[in-house]
Amino acid sequence: MSVTQLRASSPFPPPPQRVTSDTLLQKKLARQPIAALTAYDYPTARLVDEAGIDMVLVGDSLGMVLLGYENTLPVTMDEMLHHTRAVARAVRRAFLVADMPYGSYHASARVAIQNALRLMKEAGAQAVKIEGGSVRARLVERLTDAEVPVVAHIGLTPQSVHSMGGYRVQGKSLVAFKRLSADARALEDAGAIAIVLEGIPRELAASITAESGIPTIGIGAGPDCDGEILVFHDLFNLTFSPPAKFTRQYADGAAFFSSALAHYRDDVSARNFPSDAESYHLPREVHAALEATRPHARKA
């Protein structure tokens, strides 16, 4: 019996076809938009993956939306490994990318390669993402030589929040426009498989996308990129902070959860939960035996 016949006779559904870096490139060439989202845990990653999202990013934004940090800088390699492992257990179709946290690739190429390999070998990532422009080109080459696919990230790079003087739109001047365009070319030439464009004018993102031979994934970069990525918690109003201009709320998760939590609290307080229907009971024979051993109430 052939492999095809064996698969056809199997009682189990075939696994979904996995999205790869080549899949993303083919979508760019076919002008098919790439949908990407962040995920940081198993249940969220399952929902995102089963919704047909093309790329899942375990972003260091988890530091702010999950761990309560002020920014992404405190996030550690151990935290990124922990969350990437959880997401990898859930993802069956999407292309899985993990952020390299601040400090994990800045000291030397040797340290960067070791950390990137850990995210792939120990945590199950298919690629890593690093922030920075032309200054990272040599590192992208080294990682690519080590067979680590790299997603680059330019524009508003959150790990540079202090050197940028805050979270500000980048590329608004002619000089900055040309610099970021050159950054994108250098990173592509170095071997990056895709590039995230964050917090830049629509016109700049459109120009980079048109000139680039690799997919561009926008966030706060307008509708002309090859794809779009947002933070999961922004879609559902779960960030407890004012939304950025470029986000869109698709459901009010905060209101939904708050209502359900208040309902639960009230049911417990009123002894409406748990009910008898939500309780376990002894078998009848055990219950009868217990009743038989109990002393009868004293007659009046």
Side-chain angles (χ1 to χ4, degrees), residues 12-276:
F12 303 106
Q17 185 173 358
R18 194 72 189 251
V19 175
T20 67
S21 58
D22 185 64
T23 309
L24 301 178
L25 179 58
Q26 293 306 314
K27 295 197 76 166
K28 174 185 176 71
L29 296 175
R31 298 183 180 276
Q32 298 174 349
I34 297 165
L37 272 176
T38 65
Y40 314 110
D41 54 41
Y42 180 86
T44 301
R46 278 203 62 166
L47 291 171
V48 170
D49 189 55
E50 292 173 4
I53 301 299
D54 300 306
M55 176 192 291
V56 172
L57 170 66
V58 186
D60 59 359
S61 49
L62 66 88
M64 301 170 74
V65 300
L66 283 191
L67 305 180
Y69 297 149
E70 182 179 357
N71 51 49
T72 64
L73 302 186
V75 177
T76 67
M77 268 298 298
D78 284 342
E79 287 167 338
M80 289 306 304
L81 288 164
H82 172 84
H83 288 279
T84 303
R85 288 189 192 103
V87 171
R89 295 184 193 110
V91 171
R92 293 293 178 268
R93 176 187 174 275
F95 187 68
L96 179 56
V97 183
D99 260 341
M100 294 193 68
Y102 182 69
S104 67
Y105 58 95
H106 299 74
S108 69
R110 179 174 174 273
V111 171
I113 292 170
Q114 289 177 337
N115 286 326
L117 290 173
R118 291 192 70 193
L119 284 167
M120 296 187 69
K121 185 178 178 64
E122 298 178 28
Q126 293 171 271
V128 301
K129 182 170 74 64
I130 62 174
E131 297 182 9
S134 300
V135 68
R136 304 287 181 227
R138 179 55 183 151
L139 177 57
V140 172
E141 288 182 359
R142 294 287 301 275
L143 288 167
T144 302
D145 289 342
E147 300 181 345
V148 176
V150 179
V151 174
H153 182 164
I154 62 173
L156 195 168
T157 47
Q159 292 178 8
S160 307
V161 59
H162 294 316
S163 60
M164 289 189 304
Y167 298 108
R168 299 177 178 176
V169 175
Q170 304 294 300
K172 297 177 72 174
S173 70
L174 182 59
V175 171
F177 188 108
K178 292 181 176 179
R179 175 178 54 80
L180 285 170
S181 297
D183 285 341
R185 288 192 296 271
L187 292 164
E188 178 181 353
D189 291 343
I193 62 167
I195 184 166
V196 171
L197 306 176
E198 179 171 0
I200 64 175
R202 174 180 179 176
E203 295 82 1
L204 175 54
S207 176
I208 291 174
T209 300
E211 294 179 1
S212 178
I214 58 177
T216 59
I217 310 296
I219 175 169
D224 304 304
C225 297
D226 297 310
E228 180 70 20
I229 187 166
L230 284 178
V231 171
F232 179 92
H233 293 64
D234 283 331
L235 266 70
F236 296 98
N237 190 31
L238 294 172
T239 60
F240 302 100
S241 60
K245 176 182 179 179
F246 56 79
T247 64
R248 181 181 295 180
Q249 182 182 310
Y250 284 82
D252 194 345
F256 173 81
F257 286 117
S258 294
S259 175
L261 290 168
H263 193 183
Y264 167 74
R265 177 204 61 214
D266 292 345
D267 274 356
V268 171
S269 298
R271 295 197 178 277
N272 290 329
F273 178 82
S275 66
D276 184 70

